[in-house]
Amino acid sequence: MSLADILDPLQQPLLTVLDTPVSWTEVLGFGSGALCVWLVARQHLANWPIGIANNVFFILLFTQAGLYADAGLQVVFITLAAYGWWTWTHGGGPGSSLPVRRTTRTEWGWLLAAGVVGTFALTVLLGRATDSTVPFWDALTTALSLMATYGQCRKRLESWWLWIAADVVYIPLYAYKDLYLTSLLYAGFLALCLAGLRNWSRDLAGARRTAEATAV
C-alpha cells in the first residue's frame, strides 16, 4: 500500500458546510486541534502528542488550500512540540514541573525582532515562489504562531496573547479560503485561549502568593 492510498481517503469529502465540501482531514484537524488547546489551557502533558497529530492533519489540509507557509509551519510545530514536551517534564528541575512565568523584556525583544523579520521574509518568499493569494496574512499568522509556540513551550503567560492575535487573523483568513470548519475551529481556539489565559494567570498569581507567604 502506497502513501497515496493512505492519504486519499482522508482528503475525500465527509460533509458539506455552506455548499463547500469538508474533508476527513479538516474534521480530524478540527477535533484534535480543539482537544489540544483544551489540554494546554489545563497544563496537561497530553497536549503535546495530540498536538503533533493535529499538525500532521493540517499539513495535508493547508497544502491542498495553497497555504504553504501554514503547511510548513506545522513541520516546525512538530519539532517545537518535542521540545515543549521535554521542557514541561524537565524544565522545572528534578521532581517538579515547569511553572508559569512572565515573558522577560529580553525575550520580548528577541520575539518581536524575529516576528518582524520572519513576516517580511516569508511575505517576499511566498509572493515570489508560490501561487499564494494571501502572502502577507499567511506570513503574519506563521510568525505569530511561532512566537506563541515558543512561549507555550516555556510556559510564558503572554503566549496566550500571541495566540489570540493569531486567531483573530486566522478566522477570516480560513473563511476566505473556504475552510469554514477550520475557521470555526479557530473561533473555538480563540475562546479556549481566553480560558487558558485566565487559568494560567490564576496559577501565576497563586504561585506568587505562596512564595510571598513562604518568604514571610
Side-chain angles (χ1 to χ4, degrees):
M1 179 180 291
S2 67
L3 181 61
D5 292 331
I6 298 174
L7 298 181
D8 283 346
L10 292 176
Q11 298 171 341
Q12 298 302 311
L14 175 62
L15 50 89
T16 300
V17 177
L18 299 177
D19 296 325
T20 301
V22 177
S23 67
W24 273 101
T25 305
E26 190 168 1
V27 172
L28 291 171
F30 181 103
S32 58
L35 177 59
C36 176
V37 178
W38 184 81
L39 290 170
V40 174
R42 284 153 182 76
Q43 300 183 52
H44 197 294
L45 195 62
N47 86 85
W48 297 112
I50 296 296
I52 290 172
N54 176 253
N55 299 146
V56 172
F57 293 134
F58 276 156
I59 288 173
L60 300 176
L61 181 66
F62 293 149
T63 300
Q64 283 183 294
L67 293 168
Y68 303 111
D70 275 348
L73 175 63
Q74 304 308 308
V75 178
V76 180
F77 277 163
I78 291 173
T79 304
L80 288 174
Y83 168 69
W85 197 344
W86 184 91
T87 303
W88 277 36
T89 53
H90 297 84
S96 62
S97 60
L98 185 69
V100 177
R101 292 284 187 266
R102 301 299 299 264
T103 306
T104 66
R105 289 185 178 181
T106 300
E107 285 176 321
W108 269 124
W110 282 109
L111 283 172
L112 292 174
V116 170
V117 172
T119 299
F120 175 78
L122 280 173
T123 299
V124 173
L125 177 63
L126 292 171
R128 294 180 178 178
T130 75
D131 59 356
S132 174
T133 58
V134 286
F136 171 74
W137 298 110
D138 198 3
L140 176 63
T141 50
T142 297
L144 285 171
S145 296
L146 286 173
M147 293 163 66
T149 301
Y150 167 81
Q152 179 183 322
C153 289
R154 301 298 303 167
K155 277 196 182 178
R156 298 303 192 243
L157 177 67
E158 290 78 10
S159 65
W160 290 111
W161 287 111
L162 292 169
W163 277 126
I164 289 168
D167 290 344
V168 167
V169 181
Y170 273 132
I171 293 168
L173 176 62
Y174 291 145
Y176 175 75
K177 282 292 187 175
D178 294 331
L179 298 174
Y180 297 112
L181 187 60
T182 302
S183 180
L184 179 61
L185 169 63
Y186 274 77
F189 280 174
L190 183 58
L192 288 170
C193 285
L194 292 171
L197 177 63
R198 180 193 62 191
N199 291 343
W200 284 28
S201 295
R202 287 177 177 173
D203 284 353
L204 182 59
R208 284 179 175 175
R209 287 194 295 269
T210 300
E212 290 172 358
T214 302
V216 173

